[in-house]
Amino acid sequence: MQSAVTKERQQLGRSADKERIRRVINLLEENGITNISLDIMLGVPSQTKESLEESLQFAVDCKVKHISAYILKIEEGTFFHKNINRYKFPDENTVCDFYYQCCNFLESNGYSHYEISNFALPGFESRHNTKYWELENYLGIGAAAHSYIDGKRFYFESDSEKFINGAEAVFDGNGGDYEEYIMLRLRLKEGLPLPELSRIYGEKHVKKIIKKAPLFKEQGFVNFDGENISLTDKGFLLSNSIIAELI
């Protein structure tokens, strides 16, 4: 969906209005598909606190089970990057405020903020993505599909003909080291269980975190009780920097 506001949707290249979105959701539900997720973008051109609330309220009113909220990042070579001066983007501090607004609004409407960008009604957290964040095995089948099995990553080339004709998977390196485990677990609201980290990767990594965690806690970036460390909403906004320090 990205936005329920017509002007924002048009600037994002979305031609349908929110009433069409609502009709599509109703059509899905009438045909037995009720586990529906909507995506919302933060920091899009011309977005305001009021327009964001309109999008959030629309998603809640549609009674979808899951909502993802992503901060817009302008990638080099994209349409937005080439035309960046044509648009008025909210500044970085305003986008941070949008993130807090989103977290507070959705949690007050019964959605659990279970991952940095994801919110769900109880029992409707994404089982698919949670496998990634908990470093569980997953198997991808088909052209361009990626897999992670027993610490090994592999993928098939993005060529349907090759895949149909029996192409071998391409080895993509080892995965699952302690840095990746910490990075992925700290995306989750429940955070990183230090006894588990010690059991899998050794006590030395836990000692590093225990040494650094109190400072981040003092600044309001993490919750830390000696056994578990997790990022706060404030910490999520600086997650890359904090995680880099912890590892």
Side-chain angles (χ1 to χ4, degrees):
M1 182 180 80
Q2 301 192 341
S3 172
V5 179
T6 299
K7 182 180 179 182
E8 291 175 5
R9 287 184 56 72
Q10 289 173 342
Q11 291 185 114
L12 290 165
R14 300 290 184 264
S15 58
D17 61 18
K18 66 181 180 183
E19 290 313 311
R20 183 169 179 188
I21 297 169
R22 195 188 300 273
R23 288 198 301 273
V24 170
I25 291 171
N26 290 341
L27 182 64
L28 291 169
E29 292 176 336
E30 288 167 8
N31 285 277
I33 300 171
T34 58
N35 188 358
I36 298 168
S37 180
L38 291 178
D39 286 6
I40 292 173
M41 296 296 297
L42 311 177
V44 302
S46 306
Q47 193 170 45
T48 63
K49 179 182 177 183
E50 291 72 26
S51 71
L52 175 57
E53 182 161 338
E54 182 179 338
S55 290
L56 293 169
Q57 188 65 60
F58 175 81
V60 169
D61 289 345
C62 287
K63 296 182 172 58
V64 294
K65 304 296 195 297
H66 189 281
I67 296 169
S68 297
Y70 300 113
I71 294 174
L72 178 65
K73 181 181 178 184
I74 307 298
E75 298 284 358
E76 198 170 328
T78 62
F79 178 85
F80 271 152
H81 185 264
K82 293 172 184 174
N83 297 273
I84 199 162
N85 294 324
R86 286 176 49 188
Y87 297 96
K88 184 179 180 181
F89 292 92
D91 63 39
E92 196 172 57
N93 287 335
T94 301
V95 175
C96 290
D97 289 339
F98 288 164
Y99 182 75
Y100 294 137
Q101 177 186 351
C102 180
C103 296
N104 293 332
F105 186 94
L106 292 177
E107 288 180 310
S108 69
N109 280 277
Y111 289 82
S112 168
H113 185 190
Y114 72 98
E115 193 268 349
I116 189 168
S117 301
N118 288 281
F119 305 78
L121 295 178
F124 287 93
E125 297 82 4
S126 171
R127 289 183 291 170
H128 177 107
N129 285 7
T130 299
K131 289 179 76 72
Y132 300 154
W133 299 320
E134 294 184 346
L135 261 182
E136 293 183 20
N137 291 336
Y138 55 86
L139 178 64
I141 300 172
H146 286 246
S147 302
Y148 173 71
I149 305 288
D150 297 333
K152 307 292 183 185
R153 300 192 183 282
F154 55 92
Y155 66 92
F156 292 102
E157 291 182 52
S158 183
D159 186 315
S160 297
E161 282 297 320
K162 281 187 178 180
F163 179 78
I164 290 168
N165 290 312
E168 293 290 320
V170 180
F171 177 65
D172 200 26
N174 296 319
D177 62 16
Y178 84 95
E179 293 185 357
E180 187 174 23
Y181 181 78
I182 291 171
M183 182 269 291
L184 291 171
R185 287 299 307 227
L186 285 176
R187 290 187 64 91
L188 294 168
K189 192 79 168 184
E190 65 185 27
L192 174 67
L194 298 185
E196 187 73 1
L197 178 66
S198 178
R199 183 184 68 80
I200 301 172
Y201 299 100
E203 182 67 20
K204 64 178 182 179
H205 303 301
V206 172
K207 287 180 178 177
K208 287 183 192 175
I209 291 173
I210 288 175
K211 185 177 179 181
K212 294 181 178 181
L215 177 61
F216 289 122
K217 181 179 181 179
E218 186 181 312
Q219 300 298 322
F221 293 123
V222 306
N223 301 304
F224 178 62
D225 62 6
E227 292 281 306
N228 197 83
I229 182 170
S230 61
L231 296 176
T232 62
D233 290 346
K234 182 180 176 182
F236 276 143
L237 284 167
L238 293 171
S239 60
N240 288 348
S241 299
I242 295 169
I243 291 168
E245 282 294 318
L246 290 176
I247 61 177

